Amino acid sequence: MLCFTDLTKKYGSFFALDRFHAELDCGIYALLGPNGAGKSTMMNILVGLLAPTAGTVTYDGKNIEEMGDSFRALIGYMPQYPGFYLGFTAMELMRYMADMKGLPRKDAEARCKELLKSVNLADHANEKIGTFSGGMRQRLGLAQALINDPKILILDEPTAGLDPKERVRFRNMIRRLSDKITVIFCTHIVSDIETIAKEVILIHHGKLLRQAPIPELVHDMEGKVWEILPDADETETMLDQFPRSSLVSRNMQTVIRIVNDTQPHPKAKACAPVLEDVYLYMFGDNGV
Amino acid sequence: MKNSGLCFQFELKKLLIARRGWLIILAAILLQIGLGCFSNPHLYEYSYDTKLYEQYTEVYSGPFKKSNLRKMDANQIVLDKIMSEQTKPDLSSVDAYEKQSRRIEMASQKSSVLMAIRDKYASFADFRELEPELTYDLELTDYIKRFGMNWASLLCIALLVPLLMLGDKNCGMEQILFPTVTGQARIVRAKLLAACVTGVAVTAVCTLLQWILFSLRWNLGKLDVPVQSITGYAQCSLHSSIGGSLLLSGIVQVLAVPAAVLILCIFSALIRKEVPVVAASVITVAISALLTEKIPGLRVFSIASPLSCMQALAQMSGADLIFMLFFLCLKTTLFAMAAFWLANRKR
């Protein structure tokens, strides 16, 4: 069990994290929040790149700072836009990371090959990373994060730059892993996590807004999501009037989907909410 | 310590191969060859007293000779005679009085310098007597004086250290490497060690090159005679041969490198941006060069002041040397602690 207790990070008078509290067990935890919400700060504290101003993070009851090496041996981290030594080949980088993560050399070679294959980079193992596309680098980032068979996998915007096929492949891979490990999946892309996340952690202005399973979050939105078929001249006015709204296509017609506590218009009809509505409700127009 | 050796190997590999540090080292070696082949001995601006002292040491330096002692005695008699005029001032005219005063003052200065030289001469007479009569030409003095700072290697280090310290941060690997089981502290330690080892190796190679080039340009002659045999080194208190002194200066020069390297590591840890760090490092090395070469009085503030050891040897005693080495160790340790703390702190 990974537990964040009153975690605070302050830069001058600005709170990047403000008494953040969450408890995580096995499974995929989606970290959702707008830019600057404190997601990256929280992850950087977890992986030891930042020191908290106050509060603690514990793993199975032990403070991770005191655990030191033994905690770092448990984590796999894939940062947003991972950068690599462009002069290294994929295999050289994997070998290097295996050494840095303390894998015995006799096991490392096979593990590196297996992981490169699983992220579909086996054919490019001996090519220089400098020649890789953004998507290939993302996949290499995931492969290096998994090299030590982590118990806690931390993924910061892992699907950025991946094409739809790679995205599905990636989701499947993470889903398979999540039975035994804790995965913290930070993203803006709601569709990436709505089918795989065990729970969603909503964070804004450094504070935890909500931690709950997706069905519960969606259920709470019942009666707050509306769709309306606007007259041609009403579209722009309504979009301006309801900032938590979006245009969607229904049967070749464009309808406005509005997230609002009350019926926004006499013609508006209640409809079934989805996770994106939760996001809009929480964070659209600066959130609730 | 887990992975420390591997980590060090990787840091060297990354610096020399992945970041093409070998190109910078090659450039430094070429620069060293250029400096060794084409540079000319330079002149220093000394105060009047220093010039006087130098003139005297040049006149009476070299192996112990009875003829030199006789010359010193004769010179002292002349100076005493002039100084005795103090009791009989020439009051015939103002001009004559002023002229006499200046003469007396000059004689007094020369006399005190001469006495100091005689003291030194006497202290080393025992081992000087064993040496045959030798005379070294001026080129060897210039050669010895040129064993000051090794600027080519320091400039090379100023470019290599930011590459090593900030390379991982710039390419985005730092955030992947620090959360591994190896950890930030071991990686930072490996970086500092790799920086020092590279600095020492580059300086050793450049120094060796310097020696070879100078020995090709100017015949070094006998290296096993006392260092006091060289013009200008009569007052040196070290019981050492020319070869021994050269070796000592080379060793001290190389030992002083980690302190200079660690200062540049501190810059990297504080500034954390490659271009400003390179600029700050190169400027610091340049200012140090200026201080050391042009203003000897400010040499102590230079980034690598101990590197100008060979010039200082002329005035150095054994105790001074031990103190200098102790101070160097202390300085290096403090810089290493500061660099480690700064580079290892979490933001």
Side-chain angles (χ1 to χ4, degrees):
Chain A
M1 170 82 77
L2 191 63
C3 187
F4 300 84
T5 311
D6 292 334
L7 201 63
T8 303
K9 180 71 187 177
K10 212 175 155 188
Y11 295 101
S13 59
F14 172 73
F15 282 88
L17 267 186
D18 189 1
R19 283 165 291 151
F20 178 82
H21 187 98
E23 288 180 0
L24 283 64
D25 211 339
C26 282
I28 301 172
Y29 291 81
L31 199 57
L32 273 183
N35 286 332
K39 304 185 297 288
S40 293
T41 306
M42 187 274 253
M43 283 189 292
N44 282 333
I45 290 174
L46 181 61
V47 299
L49 293 172
L50 286 176
T53 310
T56 54
V57 185
T58 56
Y59 180 73
D60 285 346
K62 292 177 213 154
N63 190 319
I64 62 164
E65 276 188 72
E66 288 162 15
M67 287 176 76
D69 284 0
S70 56
F71 179 71
R72 287 197 300 274
L74 301 174
I75 60 174
Y77 177 49
M78 177 189 173
Q80 191 176 5
Y81 311 119
F84 301 112
Y85 307 123
L86 303 183
F88 276 29
T89 65
M91 195 63 190
E92 278 172 342
L93 184 100
M94 290 296 282
R95 280 192 203 113
Y96 176 42
M97 290 309 297
D99 281 335
M100 290 293 103
K101 294 190 176 196
L103 253 73
R105 287 218 161 156
K106 59 181 172 57
D107 304 335
E109 193 73 12
R111 178 77 178 143
C112 293
K113 282 181 183 164
E114 176 198 332
L115 281 169
L116 285 176
K117 192 177 169 194
S118 68
V119 295
N120 210 17
L121 283 176
D123 295 341
H124 306 278
N126 296 314
E127 289 173 20
K128 299 251 187 218
I129 299 169
T131 64
F132 282 14
S133 67
M136 288 164 89
R137 289 183 198 183
Q138 289 289 106
R139 283 184 275 153
L140 184 61
L142 178 66
Q144 66 75 29
L146 294 171
I147 210 161
N148 56 329
D149 220 352
K151 295 279 173 281
I152 302 164
L153 182 61
I154 303 146
L155 307 168
D156 194 355
E157 304 280 354
T159 53
L162 298 184
D163 63 34
K165 195 176 149 196
E166 285 169 341
R167 228 169 241 202
V168 171
R169 191 186 170 101
F170 182 90
R171 276 205 300 264
N172 292 342
M173 195 171 165
I174 299 300
R175 180 68 195 85
R176 276 198 299 274
L177 287 167
S178 66
D179 291 339
K180 292 171 279 178
I181 68 171
T182 304
V183 181
I184 301 173
F185 194 126
C186 169
T187 185
H188 288 108
I189 306 164
V190 173
S191 61
D192 276 347
I193 47 116
E194 65 185 346
T195 54
I196 57 170
K198 177 182 173 185
E199 283 188 3
V200 175
I201 297 167
L202 298 163
I203 181 171
H204 197 23
H205 296 312
K207 288 184 178 167
L208 174 73
L209 293 183
R210 187 91 195 267
Q211 180 182 351
I214 294 175
E216 194 181 315
L217 288 171
V218 172
H219 180 263
D220 289 353
M221 289 298 292
E222 297 280 357
K224 290 175 184 168
V225 184
W226 313 85
E227 278 187 1
I228 184 167
L229 184 64
D231 295 334
D233 55 342
E234 278 183 329
T235 308
E236 289 305 319
T237 321
M238 293 188 89
L239 285 173
D240 286 345
Q241 195 182 346
F242 299 101
R244 292 178 210 153
S245 58
S246 57
L247 288 175
V248 288
S249 286
R250 291 269 184 272
N251 304 323
M252 307 294 283
Q253 286 183 311
T254 301
V255 298
I256 302 178
R257 192 177 174 91
I258 299 170
V259 180
N260 204 42
D261 285 325
T262 55
Q263 189 181 22
H265 191 276
K267 286 197 284 181
K269 289 177 187 169
C271 60
V274 292
L275 188 59
E276 196 171 72
D277 299 319
V278 177
Y279 189 95
L280 274 179
Y281 183 71
M282 292 289 187
F283 308 121
D285 190 26
N286 292 325
V288 285
Chain B
M1 251 186 286
K2 223 180 283 180
N3 291 343
S4 293
L6 262 179
C7 213
F8 169 70
Q9 279 176 35
F10 274 121
E11 288 305 327
L12 279 182
K13 189 181 166 190
K14 281 189 286 183
L15 174 68
L16 299 177
I17 299 164
R19 289 173 206 141
R20 299 178 194 279
W22 65 271
L23 278 174
I24 297 173
I25 294 174
L26 184 68
I29 289 171
L30 291 175
L31 179 65
Q32 187 63 60
I33 293 171
L35 285 174
C37 290
F38 303 110
S39 64
N40 286 313
H42 40 257
L43 296 170
Y44 293 94
E45 289 299 325
Y46 288 125
S47 67
Y48 177 75
D49 284 350
T50 319
K51 274 183 186 166
L52 190 67
Y53 197 81
E54 281 231 318
Q55 281 167 13
Y56 268 79
T57 52
E58 279 179 21
V59 169
Y60 298 115
S61 67
F64 178 79
K65 285 182 248 175
K66 287 201 169 147
S67 58
N68 270 356
L69 267 183
R70 279 199 296 276
K71 269 191 230 165
M72 279 187 201
D73 290 341
N75 202 346
Q76 190 65 57
I77 290 166
V78 173
L79 294 171
D80 286 346
K81 198 175 168 190
I82 297 171
M83 286 190 290
S84 70
E85 286 176 24
Q86 235 169 348
T87 54
K88 292 174 266 175
D90 183 354
L91 301 173
S92 56
S93 70
V94 174
D95 269 0
Y97 179 74
E98 281 182 351
K99 211 171 170 181
Q100 188 195 30
S101 300
R102 276 199 299 273
R103 199 166 61 237
I104 293 169
E105 193 188 334
M106 176 83 75
S108 165
Q109 279 179 359
K110 285 182 176 178
S111 173
S112 61
V113 171
L114 191 60
M115 278 167 78
I117 304 262
R118 279 174 69 97
D119 283 348
K120 293 287 177 193
Y121 217 76
S123 1
F124 294 98
D126 53 340
F127 71 85
R128 282 162 159 275
E129 267 181 326
L130 301 173
E131 301 304 327
E133 291 273 333
L134 283 165
T135 47
Y136 273 91
D137 52 14
L138 186 65
E139 280 79 3
L140 188 65
T141 316
D142 293 331
Y143 162 72
I144 294 288
K145 283 185 175 174
R146 292 203 62 79
F147 277 88
M149 295 273 280
N150 203 322
W151 297 113
S153 69
L154 263 189
L155 199 62
C156 167
I157 291 163
L159 297 171
L160 286 176
V161 168
L163 267 189
L164 179 69
M165 295 300 289
L166 299 174
D168 285 341
K169 177 185 170 278
N170 288 344
C171 75
M173 276 298 284
E174 200 174 84
Q175 49 184 346
I176 294 175
L177 289 172
F178 285 0
T180 61
V181 72
T182 301
Q184 184 172 355
R186 285 189 195 96
I187 292 170
V188 166
R189 259 199 301 267
K191 279 184 192 296
L192 295 179
L193 185 64
C196 290
V197 167
T198 310
V200 163
V202 171
T203 308
V205 168
C206 285
T207 305
L208 200 65
L209 261 176
Q210 203 177 29
W211 286 13
I212 293 167
L213 289 168
F214 275 107
S215 64
L216 289 175
R217 279 187 84 185
W218 296 299
N219 180 19
L220 299 187
K222 292 191 175 182
L223 294 177
D224 55 347
V225 297
V227 70
Q228 288 79 8
S229 302
I230 303 168
T231 310
Y233 280 73
Q235 71 276 39
C236 180
S237 316
L238 290 178
H239 198 297
S240 168
S241 65
I242 294 176
S245 297
L246 281 179
L247 194 63
L248 184 68
S249 85
I251 290 169
V252 174
Q253 196 173 27
V254 170
L255 284 179
V257 169
V261 167
L262 289 165
I263 292 177
L264 305 182
C265 290
I266 290 172
F267 285 177
S268 299
L270 281 174
I271 304 172
R272 308 245 318 148
K273 283 185 181 150
E274 198 168 298
V275 174
V277 172
V278 169
S281 303
V282 171
I283 289 169
T284 307
V285 168
I287 289 174
S288 291
L290 200 72
L291 290 182
T292 309
E293 300 286 325
K294 300 290 177 196
I295 317 169
L298 294 178
R299 191 173 289 160
V300 69
F301 299 112
S302 166
I303 185 173
S305 52
L307 299 196
S308 52
C309 167
M310 194 58 202
Q311 289 174 38
L313 275 182
Q315 282 89 38
M316 212 174 244
S317 68
D320 289 339
L321 186 68
I322 290 169
F323 178 74
M324 193 190 77
L325 289 175
F326 171 73
F327 181 67
L328 185 60
C329 290
L330 186 71
K331 194 163 98 167
T332 307
T333 310
L334 288 176
F335 287 165
M337 285 163 70
F340 178 74
W341 181 77
L342 285 168
N344 192 40
R345 79 201 145 128
K346 283 179 187 155
R347 269 144 248 281

